DNA sequence: TGACACATAGGAATTACTACTATATAGTAA
DNA sequence: TTACTATATAGTAGTAATTCCTATGTGTCA
């Protein structure tokens, strides 16, 4: 993602923050910037290490709390998976994930039919649906 | 699930163990029995509490390790989700899950079209696919 | 029945995440 | 510009979940 694109995302992020009453702290923007510019679906720990380069005194809790906040306001989300370290995604484009069970890499792909899967009516009626996910697990090209 | 059905599952489980070279310990069988007879997708902790009634001295680690072993040999699996306590499923029937984000209940449903979703060729070629999951998240009937 | 590789019990250690609190600062209004 | 206040952060402690370690026990097989 180009510098210009990242800047544009940050601009839109600042608007989201103002709308939701969140303060625009330099830490928050820095965390968002690192999350949105990568497609590696980093953990809080990984982002903590990156943000430390600009904010040597930032605490892990601030990074983690901020990421949960981003998830709350819909600026990012927690990646689905089976019981590993929590991973975050700053891309709100419709897409799906492949996760390697060995190296834990999470790789984006987009298959349009997966965006519009229809649930049986019985489920839709009984529950309030927030998220429908198609998720693929296996061994990646580098590991096999 | 009836007593007879559970017994049949356990019989088949003993065959699986012999095939994979796993020893048939009473603890292992008891853990499997509790997992297979419920549809509540228990955590290791919950199963530990149940198995303790028959094996008061069993350790948590034995329960957890056994569950991971069951996942290894394909007698059970780890339920997909976004970053909560690890949950297990003893049913190897094709089915899907709805998870309530509030009470964390995991509810089985079965929608046949979801069993046969087709991945784009690019993904199937590049990676070794082990699992394709359709996963639904929301608020359950009891919570909303 | 004996040998031994695998499994378990008990507890310690590690990892992941969350809570607490004093200090700092973004937003706002004088 | 300045002062105020609610929110955010830093530093640290605490909790929860999971994994590791090791001595002892036991299922399996010869
Ligand atoms: Mn992604
Ligand atoms: Mn299930
Ligand atoms: Zn891999
Ligand atoms: Zn619920």
């Amino acid at each position: 993602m180009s510098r210009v694109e990242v800047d544009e995302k940050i601009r839109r992020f600042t608007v989201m923050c103002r709308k939701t009453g969140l303060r625009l702290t330099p830490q928050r923007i820095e965390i968002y910037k690192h999350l949105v510019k990568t497609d590696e679906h980093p953990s809080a720990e990984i982002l903590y290490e990156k943000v430390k380069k600009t904010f040597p005194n930032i605490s892990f809790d601030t990074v983690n709390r901020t990421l949960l906040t981003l998830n709350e306001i819909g600026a990012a989300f927690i990646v689905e998976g089976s019981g590993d370290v929590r991973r975050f995604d700053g891309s709100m484009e419709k897409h799906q994930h492949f996760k390697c069970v060995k190296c834990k890499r999470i790789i984006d792909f987009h298959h349009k039919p997966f965006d519009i899967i229809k649930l049986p009516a019985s489920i839709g009626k009984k529950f309030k649906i927030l998220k429908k996910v198609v998720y693929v697990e296996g061994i990646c090209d580098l590991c096999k």
Side-chain angles (χ1 to χ4, degrees), chain A residues 103-140:
Chain A
C103 68
K104 313 296 182 189
R105 266 205 306 160
I106 294 170
I107 296 157
D108 289 331
F109 70 94
H110 189 203
H111 186 54
K112 284 208 179 69
F114 291 169
D115 297 340
I116 52 165
I117 55 169
K118 277 262 181 298
L119 289 178
S122 57
I123 297 294
K125 264 185 193 153
K126 197 165 180 193
F127 309 126
K128 180 178 178 187
I129 307 302
L130 296 175
K131 212 169 157 190
K132 295 177 287 181
V133 177
V134 177
Y135 162 68
V136 183
E137 220 176 66
I139 317 274
C140 80

Side-chain angles (χ1 to χ4, degrees), chain A residues 89-103:
Chain A
D89 194 333
S91 163
M92 301 308 284
E93 306 288 311
K94 279 187 197 301
H95 68 282
Q96 291 82 33
H97 294 137
F98 168 88
K99 181 168 184 180
C100 176
V101 296
K102 286 206 176 174
C103 68

Side-chain angles (χ1 to χ4, degrees), chain A residues 1-134:
Chain A
M1 188 180 295
S2 76
R3 176 65 201 275
V4 175
E5 284 173 300
V6 172
D7 285 350
E8 171 58 16
K9 296 247 180 193
I10 290 174
R11 198 195 54 75
R12 273 188 265 165
F13 174 61
T14 61
V15 174
M16 286 186 85
C17 284
R18 287 194 209 289
K19 266 193 188 150
T20 53
L22 284 186
R23 290 185 180 171
L24 280 170
T25 66
Q27 291 94 330
R28 196 167 270 167
I29 292 169
E30 188 72 9
I31 293 163
Y32 178 77
K33 187 170 93 186
H34 282 288
L35 177 61
V36 86
K37 82 202 281 195
T38 182
D39 61 356
E40 295 192 355
H41 309 88
S43 63
E45 183 64 34
I46 295 283
L47 285 164
Y48 173 54
E49 293 304 327
K50 288 187 179 173
V51 176
K52 252 204 228 173
K53 285 170 185 155
T54 16
F55 294 90
N57 293 324
I58 200 166
S59 70
F60 173 79
D61 186 45
T62 294
V63 176
N64 191 54
R65 194 171 12 78
T66 298
L67 290 166
L68 295 177
T69 304
L70 297 184
N71 179 59
E72 288 291 313
I73 68 167
F77 66 97
I78 299 169
V79 181
E80 70 287 346
S82 311
D84 288 306
V85 188
R86 190 188 282 151
R87 305 275 286 271
F88 295 90
D89 194 333
S91 163
M92 301 308 284
E93 306 288 311
K94 279 187 197 301
H95 68 282
Q96 291 82 33
H97 294 137
F98 168 88
K99 181 168 184 180
C100 176
V101 296
K102 286 206 176 174
C103 68
K104 313 296 182 189
R105 266 205 306 160
I106 294 170
I107 296 157
D108 289 331
F109 70 94
H110 189 203
H111 186 54
K112 284 208 179 69
F114 291 169
D115 297 340
I116 52 165
I117 55 169
K118 277 262 181 298
L119 289 178
S122 57
I123 297 294
K125 264 185 193 153
K126 197 165 180 193
F127 309 126
K128 180 178 178 187
I129 307 302
L130 296 175
K131 212 169 157 190
K132 295 177 287 181
V133 177
V134 177

